[in-house]
Amino acid sequence: MSARMLGDLCNASTTESSKLNKANLVEACLTYFKVYGKKQFCYNDLQIFVQAFDSVSTESFLREAKLWCFEEYRGFFGQDQLRNLYNPEMVSVTQLLMGGAILINQEPRYDGAYLILQVNILKLEYYLVHSRWGESGDIEDAISMEKFVVQCVKTYILAVSSYPVGENAKPPTERLPGDDAGLLAAITLIRWGLLGNRRNALLQATTILQHLTQKSPFNYEALVTLTVLYTKIGAGWLAAECYSRLSIKNIQFPTLSWLLCTRISTLHPHPPHINFKTQSEKVDADPTHHLSRALEYHLHLRETDQQEIDDFLEAGQYASLLQAMGNSVYNQLGFTKHMLLIEWARMERFSGIQSKLDFRSLPGESLQIKSLWATTMLTVPTDRLPREAIDNRDRSTIPHWEAPDVVSLEEMLLPGKWPSQKWLSGQLLIALVSEATTKTNTFFDRNDVLRSLMASNDLKESSTPVEHRQVDLARESDSLIRIYEEIESDAKSKTHHASAVVQGLGNIRQWQEEANNIIATMSLGGGRHLWKITESANAPDWEFFHTAYIGLDSCRLIERTIDFVEAQNRKVRLIEPDHVSEQIRKIRKLCDEYRIALNSASFELSEALSDKGHQEELLYTVIARQADTEDTDPIAYWLRHLFIDEQYVRGILARLQLAWREALANIDNLTSVKETA
């Protein structure tokens, strides 16, 4: 019957007459919803058809669907309580919540079919209406979204009342019927916070997701969403802790490790410096360890794949053999592997971390790592390498409930665009120059890699502005290194070289002046890369840490470059040593000023986040005070009914504050004492 009705939907969506098409399509979708609305597949089936609705069709469909639900469950809930669920503005009709559970005639009542039906309506409403919020930003739209979030929270509360209770209670399935209501509330708040500047939206979304992952610990979509949300708001080890609960292993390293590991080098490139309690001994909150595990898998992937291929060949399982060969190519050329290498190179450059895996010290691994770096660029002149990398990310774990023509949750939460070959080329250049300024025999085959690098002028398309400027800086540094290489072979006149060196030093100084201007705006006064979490305090987000670490990385690159120039100039006296020393002194001063400014900004933030009264203020931006009415903040009012105990929310916020302060402490460690490269 489902297949036949889907056929009717297809026919309705292809009717020639436009008006008849819309009328028939709305009627066909309503008919399908009334029959299969209590099934979880209903939303996925209808999604492709309802996207053709205009505003009139959308309003008609949602009104009729909600009216049908009202009539369908009139006897189950009672008219007043049902009206309260479907109309968030009519909260005074009855007191729905008593002690955290929804009571019907003094007894908790639960109907899984009703929850699925309600969640399907909420998903359709989000898809058709609220995922498009931000296009106009009207106050009326904000009020509508607020009512929608309240509706989601109420439905989630109804679901929670039926969940297993007790310390050892485990849900029987990966996803419980009401989980998506909580997830929808969080996703809507995330959209509101990032596109609509609702100050407390991200914190409220964080607490909802934390509650959801505790009540339903096997809900993969909720865990993934919470992981990337923690990354977005700058809570590094909380993101790592949540990522650890995903239990990534084997083939999941190429497909899922990108959720955390390809953002961690400019968020939390160090083991946690503080003692903290985790919910389980199996939870690993060290981001560097997760990166090590993912990279170790890729280092030995060739041997693993070859062994699997040999086993299938020996067993005569040729169908499995072909599939294994295809998977091997797919994994070897995946972007995730390339980004892991770049992340690790960054972490070694500006942190010098020592983790359980140091790929340069592994015996016999040098050639393999060298090969991995070459394939990363995909421009090495060899017929054996394709020109395009494979996007092997598993993106299905992030909820995609938005309309197709709007900004998705993934795009909102994951900072920066997905890298291209040009971005990868720029990152290799930075790593190459950093190596060349510290060692005579570089880790990379310099001649091969230099021949393969593409001269790109449009790196802005696939990187953040600060990364784009760092590539410009690396090019200046690389030019200075090449000049002294050419002097040794007498390739050009010394006059030409001297002019180029002076110009290069001037460009480096100009870059550092721009960097100092950027970091000056990262203080509490400027507010750049910060988000206001209370009236009196800001918090650092991923952009803050990303800008800070890229700046520190660049300072080290600058200092190594000018050390190299100064040492080479002593040998060949290309420029008067006093003139070079004066230029270098000014550049060093700018680098020191950058560290001082960054240290001051991180210290101010840490002090504000440590204030005793700050947590109290933070708490009541998430949930309403005991005496507050729903008129003050309906979402905060109903979240108080969801969490019941203030201490639960205090615990979540305390760990979040601790994560921010711990990440800022590493910035303080790197900027308090001048780096000696």
Side-chain angles (χ1 to χ4, degrees):
M1 182 176 178
S2 174
R4 187 174 71 250
M5 295 189 71
L6 284 175
D8 294 340
L9 280 172
C10 292
N11 292 333
S13 64
T14 56
T15 306
E16 293 183 4
S17 170
S18 178
K19 292 183 178 179
L20 182 61
N21 176 19
K22 292 177 182 178
N24 288 347
L25 185 58
V26 170
E27 186 62 33
C29 288
L30 277 172
T31 302
Y32 188 86
F33 179 79
K34 291 176 182 179
V35 176
Y36 295 107
K38 299 175 185 178
K39 305 294 183 181
Q40 290 184 336
F41 59 74
C42 178
Y43 167 74
N44 292 330
D45 285 352
L46 286 177
Q47 188 179 31
I48 191 174
F49 300 102
V50 299
Q51 70 181 20
F53 286 178
D54 56 16
S55 58
V56 175
S57 300
T58 295
E59 183 179 354
S60 173
F61 174 79
L62 291 176
R63 181 180 64 251
E64 293 299 324
K66 290 183 178 182
L67 181 62
W68 177 79
C69 290
F70 188 94
E71 296 297 331
E72 183 77 4
Y73 278 89
R74 183 190 296 273
F76 180 79
F77 283 105
Q79 186 170 344
D80 286 349
Q81 289 163 324
L82 190 61
R83 187 183 296 113
N84 192 16
L85 280 171
Y86 280 98
N87 297 280
E89 67 273 19
M90 300 184 65
V91 294
S92 60
V93 174
T94 184
Q95 180 63 38
L96 189 62
L97 297 174
M98 301 290 291
I102 294 183
L103 302 183
I104 307 297
N105 299 326
Q106 304 303 316
E107 293 293 333
R109 293 192 59 182
Y110 165 71
D111 186 289
Y114 164 75
L115 282 176
I116 295 172
L117 180 65
Q118 174 70 356
V119 166
N120 280 331
I121 289 181
L122 292 173
K123 283 184 177 180
L124 288 166
E125 184 175 350
Y126 177 77
Y127 180 85
L128 291 168
V129 180
H130 302 293
S131 69
R132 300 181 184 278
W133 189 88
E135 295 177 355
S136 63
D138 293 339
I139 295 178
E140 291 183 2
D141 291 340
I143 294 174
S144 174
M145 182 172 280
E146 184 176 67
K147 292 179 179 179
F148 176 76
V149 173
V150 169
Q151 206 168 351
C152 291
V153 172
K154 287 181 178 180
T155 304
Y156 178 57
I157 293 173
L158 175 63
V160 169
S161 69
S162 67
Y163 286 2
V165 295
E167 294 183 0
N168 299 322
K170 297 277 184 161
T173 60
E174 179 178 302
R175 163 173 283 158
L176 296 173
D179 286 1
D180 284 354
L183 198 51
L184 266 175
I187 290 171
T188 308
L189 285 167
I190 291 170
R191 176 170 294 275
W192 198 352
L194 295 178
L195 300 182
N197 297 320
R198 178 182 167 93
R199 190 186 67 223
N200 58 349
L202 295 182
L203 287 177
Q204 289 178 331
T206 301
T207 53
I208 291 172
L209 287 172
Q210 190 67 52
H211 184 274
L212 174 56
T213 55
Q214 180 181 346
K215 292 292 184 180
S216 185
F218 306 125
N219 190 316
Y220 222 73
E221 284 188 343
L223 286 171
V224 166
T225 305
L226 184 57
T227 298
V228 293
L229 178 57
Y230 274 139
T231 302
K232 178 68 175 177
I233 64 177
W237 64 257
L238 287 179
E241 182 182 279
C242 195
Y243 172 88
S244 177
R245 294 169 63 188
L246 295 173
S247 301
I248 303 295
K249 54 186 177 296
N250 300 329
I251 194 61
Q252 292 176 317
F253 284 117
T255 59
L256 287 175
S257 63
W258 65 277
L259 291 167
L260 174 77
C261 297
T262 56
R263 296 292 186 274
I264 207 63
S265 73
T266 52
L267 173 61
H268 202 287
H270 55 88
H273 294 151
I274 55 177
N275 294 323
F276 54 88
K277 295 181 179 180
T278 59
Q279 297 176 351
S280 168
E281 293 181 358
K282 297 180 180 179
V283 173
D284 184 356
D286 183 355
T288 63
H289 183 221
H290 292 304
L291 178 60
S292 296
R293 291 183 63 229
L295 184 56
E296 189 171 15
Y297 173 84
H298 284 285
L299 287 176
H300 302 289
L301 188 58
R302 290 182 186 274
E303 292 87 343
T304 304
D305 286 347
Q306 189 59 50
Q307 182 61 51
E308 186 178 40
I309 290 171
D310 292 342
D311 290 344
F312 285 134
L313 182 62
E314 183 177 352
Q317 300 177 10
Y318 299 112
S320 299
L321 171 64
L322 292 174
Q323 183 178 0
M325 293 173 67
N327 290 339
S328 178
V329 174
Y330 188 79
N331 293 328
Q332 290 295 332
L333 299 177
F335 257 23
T336 301
K337 173 193 66 177
H338 310 326
M339 290 192 69
L340 291 173
L341 287 166
I342 287 172
E343 290 289 294
W344 189 265
R346 274 181 175 173
M347 291 168 69
E348 286 217 324
R349 287 201 305 271
F350 54 64
S351 291
I353 82 164
Q354 297 297 322
S355 189
K356 297 180 180 179
L357 176 66
D358 181 349
F359 60 67
R360 298 186 187 183
S361 64
L362 291 177
E365 295 289 1
S366 296
L367 291 177
Q368 189 175 2
I369 294 294
K370 182 176 175 181
S371 173
L372 287 175
W373 271 102
T375 56
T376 297
M377 293 307 99
L378 303 177
T379 53
V380 177
T382 169
D383 296 332
R384 293 178 298 171
L385 295 174
R387 308 297 290 185
E388 296 293 333
I390 297 173
D391 185 355
N392 62 335
R393 297 175 296 164
D394 181 1
R395 301 167 65 184
S396 63
T397 53
I398 296 182
H400 288 83
W401 297 336
E402 295 82 13
D405 54 342
V406 300
V407 179
S408 68
L409 179 67
E410 177 186 345
E411 292 170 327
M412 286 189 293
L413 286 178
L414 294 176
K417 295 183 179 180
W418 187 242
S420 65
Q421 278 88 341
K422 294 174 183 177
W423 181 87
L424 292 169
S425 297
Q427 292 301 316
L428 180 63
L429 176 62
I430 295 170
L432 177 66
V433 172
S434 181
E435 285 284 316
T437 55
T438 54
K439 298 179 181 179
T440 304
N441 297 318
T442 65
F443 176 72
F444 308 104
D445 188 332
R446 182 175 178 79
N447 293 329
D448 287 346
V449 177
L450 283 176
R451 283 199 304 269
S452 70
L453 286 174
M454 294 185 296
S456 170
N457 294 319
D458 54 355
L459 284 164
K460 291 181 181 178
E461 294 181 358
S462 57
S463 60
T464 63
V466 67
E467 284 180 311
H468 178 67
R469 294 295 290 119
Q470 190 186 27
V471 173
D472 290 340
L473 171 64
R475 287 185 180 136
E476 293 292 344
S477 299
D478 186 58
S479 297
L480 295 175
I481 295 169
R482 292 201 201 193
I483 286 171
Y484 285 101
E485 289 178 347
E486 290 175 357
I487 290 174
E488 294 180 358
S489 60
D490 293 324
K492 296 179 181 178
S493 68
K494 284 194 173 184
T495 303
H496 171 81
H497 285 311
S499 175
V501 169
V502 172
Q503 180 64 39
L505 291 174
N507 290 338
I508 287 177
R509 180 181 174 185
Q510 181 182 4
W511 187 94
Q512 191 55 43
E513 288 174 346
E514 291 181 15
N516 287 349
N517 291 334
I518 292 174
I519 200 65
T521 65
M522 292 171 63
S523 65
L524 289 177
R528 179 166 175 168
H529 303 317
L530 304 175
W531 55 294
K532 196 168 186 62
I533 51 175
T534 68
E535 289 294 335
S536 61
N538 296 333
D541 62 4
W542 179 85
E543 292 287 348
F544 176 93
F545 291 110
H546 181 70
T547 302
Y549 278 115
I550 293 296
L552 291 173
D553 189 15
S554 300
C555 280
R556 174 167 286 191
L557 181 61
I558 288 171
E559 290 173 338
R560 287 176 172 175
T561 300
I562 59 180
D563 286 344
F564 173 86
V565 170
E566 194 170 34
Q568 294 299 315
N569 194 63
R570 290 195 197 101
K571 296 179 183 177
V572 299
R573 295 187 68 85
L574 181 63
I575 311 172
E576 282 299 321
D578 291 343
H579 181 66
V580 172
S581 298
E582 179 65 17
Q583 289 275 358
I584 287 176
R585 184 188 65 79
K586 293 178 180 178
I587 297 173
R588 288 190 191 280
K589 182 180 178 181
L590 286 171
C591 289
D592 290 341
E593 288 175 354
Y594 180 91
R595 293 191 183 93
I596 292 171
L598 180 57
N599 182 273
S600 175
S602 62
F603 178 78
E604 288 178 11
L605 278 171
S606 185
E607 285 292 298
L609 292 169
S610 303
D611 183 72
K612 292 183 178 180
H614 177 253
Q615 187 181 115
E616 195 75 8
E617 187 180 1
L618 200 61
L619 173 68
Y620 294 119
T621 64
V622 176
I623 61 174
R625 297 177 186 272
Q626 191 72 42
D628 286 349
T629 64
E630 188 171 5
D631 295 334
T632 307
D633 185 341
I635 297 175
Y637 177 84
W638 284 101
L639 286 181
R640 167 171 281 281
H641 288 292
L642 170 64
F643 298 124
I644 305 173
D645 186 4
E646 281 188 1
Q647 292 304 118
Y648 178 81
V649 183
R650 287 181 189 274
I652 295 174
L653 297 177
R655 285 166 60 82
L656 189 55
Q657 286 177 288
L658 191 61
W660 283 326
R661 299 206 315 269
E662 195 271 339
L664 289 167
N666 193 61
I667 297 285
D668 184 66
N669 292 337
L670 291 175
T671 55
S672 296
V673 180
K674 183 178 178 179
E675 296 176 274
T676 56

